[in-house]
Amino acid sequence: MKESSGANLDDWTPIVALPNLEMSGAIECQHAAIVSPSDYRVKKLCEDHPKLTTFLSKFSGQFREQVWPSLLLLRTDAPKSYYTAEAVTAFRDIISLSIAPYARARRMLYDQANSLVFTNTFQFYPWMLDKNFEDMLLINPAQMHVHMLDEFKGQSFPEQSQASVMSGDIDLPLVEKLLDKWIVRFSEAPVVWEDRALFRSLNMANEAGRVPALTAATFYDVGRSLALWVSAYEILAHPGGTGKLDFGTVSALLESVKWCDMKLSAPTHTIPGKIPQQKQLATWICKKIYNLRNDFLRGNDVDGPALLLSGKVIIDFAACLYRMALTGFLDLHFNVPMPPSEDAEAMGAFLNQRMTFNAFQGVYEDALLTSI
């Protein structure tokens, strides 16, 4: 996450608004950024196109309180391959999955409410100014519509209040790796299976991370969300083509993680079966989530207590496991070579860098350990 500055005023294009997201600084790469209305790029756009200021000022909450939406921007000179619905949505999915699971892990650890645990915060608003900054435009599978800006009254999505994202809310090693992958995936180069699977999985996980029901939530809404988390695991672990995919494929992905805490790497947890197996804690938790998914989708009886694990909601464990599946898939480990031991300054910098990098994974590991 970068703090905004006035340097390098390149040309940017506003693509969509996110009214439930209040950014502090920006999350960005060379072609795209999600920024606050106070970002220097938005200020320049508003100077050049005053109707953008009008559009941003027309948002409110459900009780008429002023809301200023964040914006997703694309570099004007970015290749057209980045100006697709799939690329823009994938950029959003990177942001939501680098924040929401991290928020869930911290909620599990500290037993405190966290406004960022659901991916609804990162929803795109369906209406946006057209490319000429004149009229309002809506295009989705339900309808295509054009209207006048003067008549527009935007609102944040009602299921949640606007949530603030600070630099400490972001899983930095993950977001940096995924942004690098995004640049490659949506370039004009041929797409490899792994990159296609990664962003397909992220999109499924974004749906899994939403509020299970906007109102009148039932037991079954959580079951549907669990099923989506499992689908996100499976898409990520799929070997491609007609390759075999089952629980063993997913558990192998989790077991490829280089755990920081030895309690997570030890195969000390029994998975029942015709031949009981001793597996790592993450695999044991994943098996419980798999069994619940199967029961919900097949119509088997499910008891309420099955949705809890050591007193915590099991769907939060599902989100944490997804980050660890990404860790294995991306080889998201600290792989910087160690400097010579006699170079004290370089060694100190190395140890500090490693500790900072591993601290993020440590939050998820500590959250998973609350299951026992």
Side-chain angles (χ1 to χ4, degrees):
M1 186 169 183
K2 299 179 180 179
E3 293 300 321
S4 300
S5 68
N8 300 320
L9 289 177
D10 300 310
D11 288 333
W12 292 78
T13 301
I15 303 299
V16 286
L18 297 87
N20 283 54
L21 175 62
E22 182 184 28
M23 288 297 303
S24 173
I27 300 176
E28 61 186 288
C29 64
Q30 67 191 79
H31 297 307
I34 290 182
V35 302
S36 75
S38 62
D39 184 90
Y40 71 93
R41 288 158 287 199
V42 178
K43 288 182 177 180
K44 183 176 185 297
L45 282 164
C46 288
E47 290 173 4
D48 295 342
H49 308 282
K51 285 192 175 183
L52 180 59
T53 302
T54 303
F55 168 69
L56 294 172
S57 69
K58 282 179 166 284
F59 280 85
S60 66
Q62 309 310 300
F63 301 96
R64 299 184 182 180
E65 71 276 19
Q66 181 76 58
V67 169
W68 292 91
S70 295
L71 287 174
L72 191 154
L73 310 177
L74 288 177
R75 276 278 298 270
T76 303
D77 61 355
K80 294 302 180 185
S81 56
Y82 295 101
Y83 276 83
T84 63
E86 187 178 358
V88 169
T89 300
F91 189 83
R92 185 278 314 279
D93 294 340
I94 288 172
I95 309 309
S96 68
L97 273 302
S98 297
I99 293 173
Y102 191 49
R104 291 189 186 222
R106 291 188 295 168
R107 178 172 72 171
M108 294 167 70
L109 285 176
Y110 307 120
D111 291 321
Q112 293 178 346
N114 191 314
S115 60
L116 295 171
V117 297
F118 295 111
T119 57
N120 299 60
T121 299
F122 307 94
Q123 286 185 86
F124 294 154
Y125 198 73
W127 287 93
M128 187 62 191
L129 279 172
D130 65 23
K131 64 181 181 180
N132 297 317
F133 295 88
E134 290 292 335
D135 295 318
M136 298 299 301
L137 182 66
L138 180 151
I139 301 175
N140 65 26
Q143 63 177 322
M144 177 186 292
H145 203 62
V146 179
H147 215 295
M148 296 180 294
L149 176 59
D150 290 345
E151 301 296 324
F152 176 66
K153 292 183 179 179
Q155 279 194 317
S156 59
F157 296 107
E159 63 267 25
Q160 283 188 283
S161 300
Q162 191 180 62
S164 298
V165 170
M166 310 292 286
S167 58
D169 297 316
I170 306 167
D171 183 345
L172 294 177
L174 179 61
V175 76
E176 290 171 5
K177 186 75 169 183
L178 290 176
L179 288 175
D180 289 343
K181 288 287 188 180
W182 183 81
I183 291 171
V184 174
R185 164 65 182 89
F186 294 100
S187 69
E188 295 170 339
V191 182
V192 300
W193 170 266
E194 290 79 6
D195 287 345
R196 191 183 303 279
L198 171 61
F199 287 97
R200 186 176 175 185
S201 174
L202 287 169
N203 189 255
M204 185 67 73
N206 183 72
E207 290 302 304
R210 292 169 64 87
V211 177
L214 302 188
T215 189
T218 71
F219 182 69
Y220 308 109
D221 296 312
V222 178
R224 183 177 60 251
S225 294
L226 276 174
L228 294 176
W229 279 116
V230 172
S231 181
Y233 304 158
E234 291 181 335
I235 294 168
L236 198 63
H238 200 295
T242 59
K244 180 182 178 182
L245 174 71
D246 55 20
F247 175 73
T249 317
V250 174
S251 63
L253 182 58
L254 287 171
E255 288 162 10
S256 71
V257 172
K258 299 173 185 175
W259 301 98
C260 299
D261 192 315
M262 295 300 293
K263 291 192 289 292
L264 284 152
S265 60
T268 55
H269 299 270
T270 304
I271 294 182
K274 291 182 179 179
I275 303 176
Q277 294 179 301
Q278 294 298 111
K279 292 289 185 178
Q280 295 176 350
L281 178 63
T283 301
W284 179 77
I285 296 171
C286 190
K287 182 62 174 175
K288 287 183 175 294
I289 292 168
Y290 250 82
N291 291 344
L292 266 177
R293 186 279 301 263
N294 292 342
D295 286 340
F296 271 111
L297 294 190
R298 294 169 182 171
N300 298 336
D301 190 27
V302 180
D303 293 328
L307 296 182
L308 298 176
L309 186 57
S310 294
K312 298 183 183 296
V313 290
I314 200 166
I315 200 164
D316 282 355
F317 288 100
C320 290
L321 283 182
Y322 184 68
R323 199 289 192 172
M324 301 318 301
L326 286 171
T327 302
F329 182 88
L330 298 167
D331 188 20
L332 191 61
H333 302 102
F334 188 74
N335 295 319
V336 177
M338 182 179 291
S341 57
E342 58 270 18
D343 189 340
E345 184 176 349
M347 180 60 74
F350 169 84
L351 293 173
N352 182 66
Q353 186 182 3
R354 184 177 65 181
M355 181 177 65
T356 301
F357 185 97
N358 288 338
F360 291 92
Q361 180 173 321
V363 171
Y364 296 97
E365 291 192 13
D366 289 345
L368 292 175
L369 286 168
T370 65
S371 65
I372 54 176

